[in-house]
Amino acid sequence: MYKIFAKTLFVGQNLISVPECHSTNTLASELSDKTNLPEGTVIITPNQTAGRGQRGNSWQATEGLNLTFSILLKPTFLPVKDQFHLTLVTSLAVFDYLTSLSLNGIKIKWPNDMLIGVKKVGGILIENTLQGTSIQKSIVGIGLNINQQEFPIASATSVSLQAGRAFDLNDALNSLLSYFEQRYLQLRAGKSAALKEEYLTNLFGIHETRVFIANQVRFEGTIQGVNDNGELVVLTNGMHKTFSLKEISLDLTS
Ligand code: BTN
């Protein structure tokens, strides 16, 4: 079971570790509806049986080999229009953790997939509860493949496969939570422009010609950046077009 030794101010200081659950995001949502959990509460399990991903996908992780957890935030300081800033914070926190392991080729694939080379090592699912123009509650779910050696799809990898050694899951969790808190405090301190700049610097494919798929049509374009709503801005056929997550996917193989 997990233990927190990270010297964080609040992230992870309340840790709810369960042997098994369907989805830590769902459990975090249910528990926080029932009781007043402090900001920074982490809900974690070594065996997530029905993990949820973006675009309605599932998230699968072999029991006891990976990190699957959710962080409860109460970012009432953040206007709804800036909710993408939580994506910046979380992607950069995972990026910081992977960078601390001296791995090569770490990139963020818009909006928040974590890549090593062209393989996915982690994913993020952020679910916000809005109240008027502010965000009452945010559940930040992180799935990071740590020690898994085999995957059903060739496009997935783990930290261990890339580094050639095994990792202590508890150490990995503590390290990640420290990086997360630092990035969240950066956001709280109003440094969102710096966060966005770092995010773009580490964004897969930025300013490169890549193949995209939208409306079942493949086309070439160049990522120019991300707008204030978190939509991807792509230059294609001499025109700037913006896309939401549901509208576009990037072909990693070409
Ligand atoms: C994606 O890449 O599609 C996002 C995957 C997010 C998976 C994590 S694992 C912990 C948390 N609980 C869930 O059900 N999903 C997130």
Side-chain angles (χ1 to χ4, degrees):
M1 279 287 155
Y2 296 96
K3 277 206 164 57
I4 295 299
F5 53 77
K7 289 190 187 67
T8 52
L9 295 172
F10 58 99
V11 173
Q13 291 304 325
N14 185 35
L15 183 76
I16 301 174
S17 177
V18 294
E20 181 182 299
C21 71
H22 284 78
S23 153
T24 57
N25 266 36
T26 308
L27 183 59
S29 171
E30 289 166 358
L31 293 177
S32 60
D33 280 348
K34 271 191 229 143
T35 45
N36 187 18
L37 296 174
E39 177 165 48
T41 294
V42 168
I43 287 104
I44 187 162
T45 185
N47 190 21
Q48 183 172 249
T49 54
R52 295 186 289 111
Q54 297 201 75
R55 308 172 197 247
N57 290 329
S58 63
W59 182 260
Q60 283 164 16
T62 303
E63 179 176 359
L65 296 180
N66 304 301
L67 285 179
T68 47
F69 66 98
S70 305
I71 308 170
L72 171 70
L73 299 176
K74 301 183 181 179
T76 47
F77 64 92
L78 195 64
V80 168
K81 68 174 180 51
D82 292 338
Q83 48 188 311
F84 183 68
H85 294 175
L86 294 169
T87 296
L88 303 178
V89 163
T90 313
S91 315
L92 284 170
V94 181
F95 180 86
D96 292 342
Y97 166 67
L98 294 171
T99 302
S100 75
L101 305 175
S102 308
L103 297 171
N104 291 325
I106 307 155
K107 288 282 173 193
I108 302 164
K109 178 171 162 270
W110 176 86
N112 50 20
D113 283 352
M114 302 310 302
L115 300 182
I116 302 182
V118 290
K119 295 198 173 197
K120 182 162 168 173
V121 69
I124 294 165
L125 179 67
I126 302 177
E127 296 177 303
N128 296 328
T129 304
L130 311 179
Q131 197 172 50
T133 52
S134 66
I135 305 169
Q136 188 198 14
K137 175 168 94 175
S138 178
I139 293 167
V140 175
I142 300 177
L144 192 59
N145 300 332
I146 303 284
N147 287 325
Q148 193 167 325
Q149 301 297 306
E150 284 167 17
F151 291 92
I153 45 170
S155 57
T157 190
S158 67
V159 173
S160 170
L161 277 175
Q162 297 298 317
R165 66 181 177 94
F167 288 79
D168 182 287
L169 289 182
N170 202 50
D171 289 350
L173 173 69
N174 276 270
S175 181
L176 242 168
L177 295 180
S178 291
Y179 285 118
F180 185 87
E181 184 170 279
Q182 286 166 39
R183 290 298 186 177
Y184 187 58
L185 292 177
Q186 205 181 345
L187 178 64
R188 262 205 202 166
K191 305 267 168 43
S192 58
L195 286 166
K196 184 157 179 201
E197 198 181 312
E198 273 195 73
Y199 173 90
L200 291 178
T201 303
N202 297 301
L203 193 65
F204 180 87
I206 189 144
H207 304 313
E208 292 169 9
T209 303
R210 293 273 164 190
V211 174
F212 298 87
I213 301 139
N215 290 323
Q216 286 145 7
V217 175
R218 290 169 72 83
F219 65 94
E220 274 193 350
T222 311
I223 298 176
Q224 301 295 297
V226 175
N227 70 13
D228 289 342
N229 298 327
E231 293 166 328
L232 192 68
V233 182
V234 178
L235 178 65
T236 179
N237 280 332
M239 279 184 297
H240 284 94
K241 292 194 173 170
T242 57
F243 296 93
S244 69
L245 180 62
K246 289 192 185 108
E247 291 169 334
I248 193 168
S249 59
L250 168 58
D251 184 349
L252 283 173
T253 58
S254 48

